[in-house]
Amino acid sequence: MRSVEEHQQVIADLVQARPAVTVAPGDALGLVLATDIVAAASLPGFDNSAMDGFAVLATDIARASAEHPVTLPVADDIPAGRTDTRALEPGTAQRIMTGAPLPPGATTVVPVESTDADFAAPFVPGAARVQIRAASTEGQHIRRAGEDVAAGTTVLRAGQRLTPAALGLVAALGLAEVSVLPPPRVLVMSTGSELVAPGTPLRPGQIYESNAVMLAAAVRDAGADVIASATVGDDIGAFRAALQAHAGQADLIISTGGVSAGAYEVVKDALGGQVEFVKVSMQPGMPQGCGRVDGVPIVTLPGNPVSALVSFEVFLRPPLRAAMGLRPDRPRVTATLAEDLSSPPGKRQFRRGVLTVSAGQATVTSYGPPASHHLRWLASANCLLDIPVGVGTVAAGSQVDVWDLTGC
């Protein structure tokens, strides 16, 4: 048998990153930057007001107080977005809004709350006056040009995941596009003549198809794109036709079913010579395969649903995320086992479990039977217990490795 580590390396070598692409910032959320972003302009780009209030000379209001207010004529009104500000004359004020450009000559801004002004009233040029009831020091309530970002500064680094805040910065710098690592495009194929679409009445011997739905969701959860999610019966011609219909659009093909030792193993029969079918020393998920179809990597997973999803977690999620520059592995913790467990000889077992962390102490218990058709238990589990090869029994109280399925 091939070890888990050996098969992980084979799959990792198959799944390669796509070349960087440029996209609009609105389409880049969650993607990883391919190149550094250097600010071509400063932020703010000009001195502006941090408050609604009045731009004045600090020396003109140095002695202002509630008991002895200073009255100044209001010479102008500056809303945000105004581009034709005029210089402030000594002994005058200019009404100014938050974000509006500071007029040349002004040295401070007095908040409206420190005046008698009513900003709800219309501004009347030449007639307005304001009582200033508090002094304001030079530079107070002024946002200086470049105090957030100086032009020429590297603000975001290649390899950084684009968050909403990062994209806000990209937009504030006026960038219409960014260079990112694009998500792999994945074709998911589920095989089996017993499979029917949900909502269709079942006939004897039929089951509802779940693997394509489940694996397509797992692909998207990993951050990759699903180009199609197809279901085909145990027919070599139909399987090959489905591949040909979609494979040209895909960077990776994932199939489930048809890889065991039975008489109707359509994936094995259709891809013999192109795919290497192996046994991996693990439970669940022993029958595996991988190779290339017309140059496109394909990974063939077993058909039992628990085997398929655990195999995806072990072999496919890490290289898919690595291809996008994302953290590849689920968080790993060491937890105290709450019960006795047994593991099959010669196999690395991935057991469904429930992880509980309280007061910094992690405890884990297995959840449900180990058989690969018990999907209900995996649906409610939050972790996988990783029992190494050669460990037949694990006693309660032992420390075990756990994969946290709730983490990225």
Side-chain angles (χ1 to χ4, degrees):
M1 285 192 187
R2 179 180 284 175
S3 72
V4 169
E5 293 81 4
E6 289 169 339
H7 198 60
Q8 284 175 322
Q9 186 58 56
V10 172
I11 302 300
D13 291 341
L14 274 177
V15 181
Q16 300 296 315
R18 294 172 58 193
V21 297
T22 54
V23 299
D27 297 324
L29 179 63
L31 300 180
V32 171
L33 274 175
T35 58
D36 293 349
I37 290 182
V38 179
S42 296
L43 289 180
F46 50 87
D47 292 349
N48 66 86
S49 178
M51 304 287 287
D52 293 333
F54 293 86
V56 298
L57 286 168
T59 52
D60 284 343
I61 60 165
R63 290 185 169 81
S65 66
E67 295 78 17
H68 301 286
V70 173
T71 301
L72 297 175
V74 183
D76 207 351
D77 187 35
I78 315 173
R82 182 168 172 180
T83 60
D84 59 343
T85 54
R86 60 179 180 172
L88 177 78
E89 298 293 336
T92 69
Q94 292 188 26
R95 191 170 78 159
I96 192 167
M97 305 303 154
T98 302
L102 194 72
T107 60
T108 192
V109 171
V110 179
V112 64
E113 293 83 1
S114 297
T115 74
D116 68 341
D118 177 10
F119 271 22
F123 174 74
V124 181
R129 302 181 71 81
V130 62
Q131 272 193 1
I132 295 176
R133 298 169 175 171
S136 183
T137 59
E138 286 200 10
Q140 195 168 6
H141 305 307
I142 295 174
R143 303 166 177 161
R144 293 299 182 187
E147 72 174 38
D148 186 14
V149 176
T153 302
T154 300
V155 293
L156 297 171
R157 298 282 183 183
Q160 184 171 344
R161 192 175 190 184
L162 289 167
T163 62
L167 290 171
L169 177 58
V170 167
L173 290 170
L175 297 178
E177 58 185 22
V178 289
S179 178
V180 295
L181 299 178
R185 299 162 297 194
V186 182
L187 168 63
V188 176
M189 296 186 64
S190 183
T191 67
S193 295
E194 74 278 16
L195 305 177
V196 298
T200 304
L202 290 176
R203 299 172 61 186
Q206 293 182 327
I207 61 173
Y208 287 122
E209 198 293 314
S210 60
N211 281 352
V213 173
M214 177 177 66
L215 288 175
V219 167
R220 294 187 182 100
D221 182 63
D225 290 338
V226 177
I227 62 163
S229 179
T231 303
V232 296
D234 294 321
D235 180 278
I236 293 175
F239 179 75
R240 287 175 174 165
L243 278 179
Q244 291 172 356
H246 299 290
Q249 312 161 43
D251 303 302
L252 173 68
I253 304 165
I254 302 173
S255 72
T256 66
V259 297
S260 296
Y264 299 96
E265 306 297 345
V266 65
V267 177
K268 266 189 172 181
D269 295 339
L271 301 179
Q274 296 174 282
V275 170
E276 180 186 18
F277 295 97
V278 298
K279 293 182 178 179
V280 178
S281 55
M282 65 184 289
Q283 185 196 55
M286 182 177 68
Q288 300 284 340
C290 60
R292 292 182 182 273
V293 176
D294 296 329
V296 180
I298 183 169
V299 177
T300 66
L301 306 179
N304 278 320
V306 175
S307 296
L309 190 56
V310 170
S311 296
F312 179 89
E313 286 287 337
V314 174
F315 299 121
L316 281 165
R317 182 181 168 91
L320 278 174
R321 289 178 61 80
M324 293 179 280
L326 301 173
R327 172 181 172 172
D329 296 323
R330 295 283 195 182
R332 311 287 172 87
V333 299
T334 300
T336 302
L337 185 63
E339 60 187 326
D340 294 338
L341 283 184
S342 62
S343 185
K347 292 185 178 181
R348 183 172 168 183
Q349 187 181 51
F350 294 93
R351 191 80 173 257
R352 287 143 280 185
V354 174
L355 175 68
T356 304
V357 180
S358 178
Q361 299 297 313
T363 303
V364 68
T365 183
S366 67
Y367 193 60
S372 58
H373 64 286
H374 290 291
L375 183 58
R376 167 205 166 181
W377 302 97
L378 182 57
S380 299
N382 65 3
C383 69
L384 292 175
L385 286 75
D386 186 355
I387 311 300
V389 174
V391 176
T393 59
V394 187
S398 299
Q399 298 297 296
V400 293
D401 292 331
V402 176
W403 297 22
D404 183 356
L405 298 179
T406 65
C408 293

